[in-house]
Amino acid sequence: MLKRNLAVLMVVFVVLMAFCGCVSTKSSVLVPGTTYVSAERIYINHWHNSWFSVIDGEFAIEEKALRWISSGGEEKTFPVEQWEWEEFPFSEEEWKALFDDPEDYFDLSPYGKIMFQPIDDFHFMLLANGDLWFAGLSFINTGSDYQLVLWSIDKLVPAE
C-alpha cells in the first residue's frame, strides 16, 4: 500500500513539474547586459505609417535602465525602477480603451497569461507565451482632443 501511494505521489509530482515548466519561460528574466533586437511587428496602429515594419536598432538591458540604440545612431535611455515582471495591470475594458477603433483591437486572450514590465509612461514590455514584446503608446489627434492609444508592439529576440 505504501509503495502504491508513493508511486501515485511521484506521478503527481512529475505532472506538476511538467506544468510548472510550461509556466516558466525562456524570456522571463531580464538580465542586465543582455541586448535584444526587434524580430517582427506584432501590432501597429493604423494611424501610423505601415511601411515602418519594426523598430530598428537594439534594446540593451542595464541595471536600472533600458537603452535603445537605433541603427542610425540615435540613443535613448529609459530609467527603469526595477526589472521585475508584474501582473498585467489592465482589465479587458481598460486594454480595449487603448484602441481608438474597435476593429483595430489587439486581442491578448490567445497568448495565455500576460506579464507586464513598466518602462515609462509611454512604453512597456509584455511577456506572452515566452515571447518578449516591446510596446509603445502615443497620442493621436482625434479632432478636438488627443487620445492616448497603443501605437505598436514588436517581438524582441536576443541579439546575436
Side-chain angles (χ1 to χ4, degrees), residues 20-32 34 36 61 82-86 113-117 125-133 156 158:
C20 289
C22 292
V23 173
S24 68
T25 60
K26 62 185 182 286
S27 303
S28 64
V29 177
L30 296 169
V31 179
T34 306
Y36 294 91
I61 305 296
Q82 183 173 338
W83 290 112
E84 185 174 332
W85 291 108
E86 302 173 3
K113 183 174 181 169
I114 306 291
M115 298 300 288
F116 179 82
Q117 170 62 59
M125 290 182 169
L126 297 175
L127 183 63
N129 284 347
D131 290 330
L132 185 62
W133 296 349
L156 303 183

Side-chain angles (χ1 to χ4, degrees), residues 1-18:
M1 182 69 150
L2 183 59
K3 286 183 182 181
R4 183 176 174 203
N5 288 341
L6 186 57
V8 169
L9 186 59
M10 289 299 287
V11 168
V12 169
F13 180 69
V14 169
V15 169
L16 286 174
M17 283 180 47

Side-chain angles (χ1 to χ4, degrees), residues 8-73:
V8 169
L9 186 59
M10 289 299 287
V11 168
V12 169
F13 180 69
V14 169
V15 169
L16 286 174
M17 283 180 47
F19 283 114
C20 289
C22 292
V23 173
S24 68
T25 60
K26 62 185 182 286
S27 303
S28 64
V29 177
L30 296 169
V31 179
T34 306
T35 301
Y36 294 91
V37 294
S38 292
E40 66 180 284
R41 171 67 36 90
I42 295 172
Y43 168 83
I44 187 162
N45 184 302
H46 68 272
W47 288 91
H48 289 81
N49 294 329
S50 59
W51 62 267
F52 187 58
S53 60
V54 294
I55 298 172
D56 68 334
E58 298 181 343
F59 295 85
I61 305 296
E62 297 179 346
E63 198 66 40
K64 292 284 187 180
L66 175 69
R67 189 167 41 95
W68 172 65
I69 306 120
S70 76
S71 59

Side-chain angles (χ1 to χ4, degrees), residues 95-108:
W95 180 249
K96 283 183 178 181
L98 291 177
F99 299 84
D100 63 305
D101 181 354
E103 293 178 16
D104 198 30
Y105 168 68
F106 181 71
D107 184 14
L108 293 174

